[in-house]
């Protein structure tokens, strides 16, 4: 279950789309009037196309519509695309050809649609040093590690965040350096030095300053990081909460952070032994009731020292994810009198959907609260086929608000002909 709400951004569609025929019958008899890419990613040369990231809008002659991903409708590299799923920029014709297979023609042959993905050169880079190293062990080359940098590629017509591996490849052999005249304990500004290959320019934003040291920053603890445990779901239902609804019930790990920017892979142990931690939330008691209003909690974390060394106290923040209630299982019953004729699409509105169990474990929902909208469900198969029996059993339902939710109870049956008195 995804616990973080996703904000859907409007992205420029970078696909040109063509089809050999305008009207194509599907496997179930309805005709396809249009297939249009409705979402895409801006691709930078060197990235890999993921068909699951590309959504297509399908419109049928029945006025029904469907949204399917490239992975669902067989998006694969075209025969003359020798680079497979890797995005390239072919100079004046920067097209990476793919084929989508959807529907069949009048002869029963699979219908193929061409999708052209455009690859963009990264003309320059914007690097963000917010999570990069803040201390540098002085070295003869005056170089600064790229660990923790995040990258945004700038191309003709836009920008796009790219992963660190691709970003470093775009840097080529250029480097980040500090002034050669600096000495230990100086706080200095990092600058970019162009190499013999790679992007033409790099902008560092915000400014990047580091402290020079003659001690190894990879072994110098300069902070701690608090991370809520992945399996710790905290629910706030109408302000009441149900399970781990207080600050004291939140579980988390404490990690040591070092001056070179890296964070330990193993958490620190809570306790009084040397190297263990103790924690205090000065502004909040353990009994503080959680809500969507406050999700960040300032903390003082003490790392226990030896008998002849002082304890170290670090400021940190625990960010708590409030999980939106979700349906784990649901039941489905057919509405009285509902039916679907052969060749027609099965409308989820033919059924009543009811939540049975919930992620929070709450069990006292009222009947009207457990009713689920048919608009949030899809049916598989989508159509009643010609030749199906008079009554079919529908076992494939997907709840789009939580695709992991499962149907429980008896699968509903659906007549494929109208009642005699209709």
């Amino acid at each position: 279950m995804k616990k973080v709400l996703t904000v859907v951004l409007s992205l420029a569609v970078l696909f040109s789309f063509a089809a050999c025929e305008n009207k194509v019958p599907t496997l179930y008899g309805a005709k396809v009037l249009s297939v249009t890419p409705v979402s895409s990613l801006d691709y930078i040369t060197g990235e890999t196309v993921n068909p699951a990231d590309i959504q297509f809008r399908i419109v049928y002659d029945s006025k029904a519509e469907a949204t399917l991903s490239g992975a669902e409708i067989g998006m694969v590299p075209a025969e003359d695309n020798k680079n497979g799923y890797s995005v390239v920029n072919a100079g004046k014709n920067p097209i990476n050809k793919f084929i989508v297979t959807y529907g069949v023609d009048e002869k029963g042959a699979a219908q193929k649609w061409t999708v052209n993905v455009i690859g963009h050169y990264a003309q320059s880079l914007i690097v963000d040093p917010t999570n990069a190293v803040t201390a540098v062990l002085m070295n003869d080359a005056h170089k600064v590690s790229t660990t923790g940098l995040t990258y945004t590629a700038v191309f003709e017509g836009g920008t796009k965040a790219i992963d660190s591996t691709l970003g470093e490849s775009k840097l080529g052999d250029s480097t980040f350096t500090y002034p050669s005249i600096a000495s230990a304990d100086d706080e200095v500004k990092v600058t970019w030095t162009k190499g013999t290959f790679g992007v033409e320019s790099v902008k560092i934003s915000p400014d990047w300053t580091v402290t020079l040291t003659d001690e190894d920053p990879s072994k110098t603890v300069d902070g701690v990081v608090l991370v809520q445990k992945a399996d710790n779901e905290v629910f706030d239902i109408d302000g009441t909460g149900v399970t781990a609804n207080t600050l004291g019930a939140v579980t988390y790990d404490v990690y040591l952070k070092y001056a070179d920017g890296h964070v330990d892979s193993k958490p620190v142990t809570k306790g009084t032994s040397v190297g263990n931690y103790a924690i205090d939330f000065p502004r909040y008691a353990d009994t503080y009731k959680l809500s969507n209003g406050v999700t960040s909690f300032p903390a003082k974390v003490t790392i226990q020292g030896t008998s002849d060394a002082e304890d170290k106290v670090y400021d940190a923040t625990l960010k708590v994810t409030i999980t939106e209630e979700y349906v784990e299982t649901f039941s489905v019953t057919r509405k009285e009198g509902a039916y679907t004729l052969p060749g027609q699409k099965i409308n989820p509105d033919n059924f009543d959907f009811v939540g049975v169990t919930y992620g929070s474990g709450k069990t006292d929902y009222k009947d009207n609260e457990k009713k689920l909208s048919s608009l949030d469900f899809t049916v598989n198969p989508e159509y009643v086929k010609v030749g199906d029996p008079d009554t079919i059993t529908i076992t494939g339902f997907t709840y789009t608000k939580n695709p992991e939710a499962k149907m429980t109870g008896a699968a509903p049956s659906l007549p494929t002909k109208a009642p005699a008195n209709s």
Side-chain angles (χ1 to χ4, degrees):
M1 169 63 195
K2 292 184 177 180
K3 299 194 292 183
V4 179
L5 298 178
T6 302
V7 178
V8 180
L9 301 179
S10 176
L11 299 174
V13 176
L14 298 176
F15 295 84
S16 58
F17 197 85
C20 297
E21 293 186 13
N22 223 4
K23 296 183 178 180
V24 181
T26 70
L27 296 174
Y28 300 105
K31 293 181 179 179
V32 176
L33 297 181
S34 64
V35 182
T36 310
V38 293
S39 67
S40 67
L41 300 178
D42 295 331
Y43 282 98
I44 304 299
T45 57
E47 288 192 296
T48 301
V49 173
N50 183 357
D53 292 334
I54 304 167
Q55 299 294 313
F56 293 90
R57 177 171 172 258
I58 317 295
V59 178
Y60 304 90
D61 63 348
S62 63
K63 297 184 180 181
E65 296 183 9
T67 300
L68 301 173
S69 72
E72 292 175 303
I73 54 179
M75 180 176 170
V76 297
E79 290 185 6
D80 58 348
N81 179 353
K82 304 304 180 183
N83 297 291
Y85 293 96
S86 297
V87 176
V88 298
N89 188 311
K92 294 182 179 179
N93 188 30
I95 292 174
N96 303 262
K97 293 183 180 180
F98 290 81
I99 296 295
V100 166
T101 303
Y102 186 75
V104 294
D105 59 22
E106 285 80 358
K107 297 181 180 180
Q111 181 67 37
K112 298 184 182 297
W113 308 72
T114 301
V115 182
N116 295 326
V117 178
I118 301 176
H120 295 272
Y121 282 124
Q123 298 172 335
S124 63
L125 290 176
I126 302 170
V127 298
D128 183 343
T130 300
N131 298 313
V133 298
T134 56
V136 175
L137 182 64
M138 296 183 66
N139 58 82
D140 293 338
H142 312 293
K143 291 175 62 175
V144 181
S145 168
T146 59
T147 299
L149 289 177
T150 56
Y151 299 86
T152 299
V154 180
F155 58 91
E156 184 176 357
T159 62
K160 184 198 174 184
I162 56 178
D163 66 40
S164 59
T165 300
L166 183 60
E168 291 189 10
S169 73
K170 299 299 183 184
L171 286 174
D173 63 347
S174 63
T175 56
F176 295 96
T177 60
Y178 60 86
S180 59
I181 59 173
S183 57
D185 297 327
D186 284 353
E187 187 176 278
V188 294
K189 185 176 180 178
V190 178
T191 57
W192 172 71
T193 302
K194 191 179 186 305
T196 58
F197 66 95
V199 292
E200 289 299 314
S201 64
V202 169
K203 177 182 179 181
I204 303 174
S205 179
D207 287 344
W208 187 5
T209 58
V210 296
T211 301
L212 301 180
T213 177
D214 52 11
E215 297 181 358
D216 188 350
S218 68
K219 298 179 181 178
T220 303
V221 177
D222 73 347
V224 296
V225 178
L226 308 183
V227 181
Q228 182 181 355
K229 288 182 179 292
D231 60 354
N232 180 222
E233 291 185 308
V234 178
F235 295 88
D236 175 55
I237 302 173
D238 298 328
T240 63
V242 286
T243 52
N245 64 329
T246 63
L247 178 59
V250 178
T251 57
Y252 52 87
D253 288 316
V254 178
Y255 298 88
L256 296 179
K257 177 179 175 294
Y258 294 82
D260 68 345
H262 87 274
V263 178
D264 266 349
S265 59
K266 293 184 178 180
V268 182
T269 302
K270 189 173 184 179
T272 56
S273 300
V274 174
N276 289 178
Y277 79 90
I279 191 167
D280 177 48
F281 296 96
R283 295 167 51 190
Y284 297 92
D286 283 351
T287 55
Y288 179 79
K289 194 173 184 179
L290 297 170
S291 71
N292 286 298
V294 179
T295 57
S296 293
F297 299 90
K300 295 285 186 182
V301 182
T302 302
I303 303 298
Q304 311 292 347
T306 60
S307 57
D308 59 348
E310 294 183 356
D311 296 344
K312 297 291 185 180
V313 181
Y314 301 98
D315 291 322
T317 300
L318 174 63
K319 294 184 177 180
V320 178
T321 298
I322 304 297
T323 302
E324 185 178 19
E325 177 68 293
Y326 59 91
V327 173
E328 285 186 327
T329 62
F330 57 88
S331 64
V332 186
T333 55
R334 177 175 55 88
K335 290 181 179 178
E336 185 176 354
Y339 64 93
T340 301
L341 299 176
Q344 291 185 347
K345 188 173 183 179
I346 301 171
N347 191 333
D349 197 44
N350 286 328
F351 306 94
D352 288 320
F353 301 90
V354 175
V356 177
T357 60
Y358 294 81
S360 69
K362 183 178 172 70
T363 59
D364 58 350
Y365 283 113
K366 298 177 181 178
D367 288 345
N368 65 313
E369 293 176 324
K370 293 190 290 185
K371 291 182 179 179
L372 306 176
S373 173
S374 62
L375 296 175
D376 296 323
F377 285 85
T378 60
V379 184
N380 185 26
E382 290 186 274
Y383 288 84
V384 174
K385 299 179 184 179
V386 175
D388 273 343
D390 291 345
T391 300
I392 59 175
T393 300
I394 309 296
T395 59
F397 292 93
T398 300
Y399 185 40
T400 57
K401 288 189 172 181
N402 178 19
E404 296 177 8
K406 303 296 183 183
M407 180 178 70
T408 187
S413 60
L414 180 67
T416 61
K417 63 179 183 178
N421 59 351
S422 65

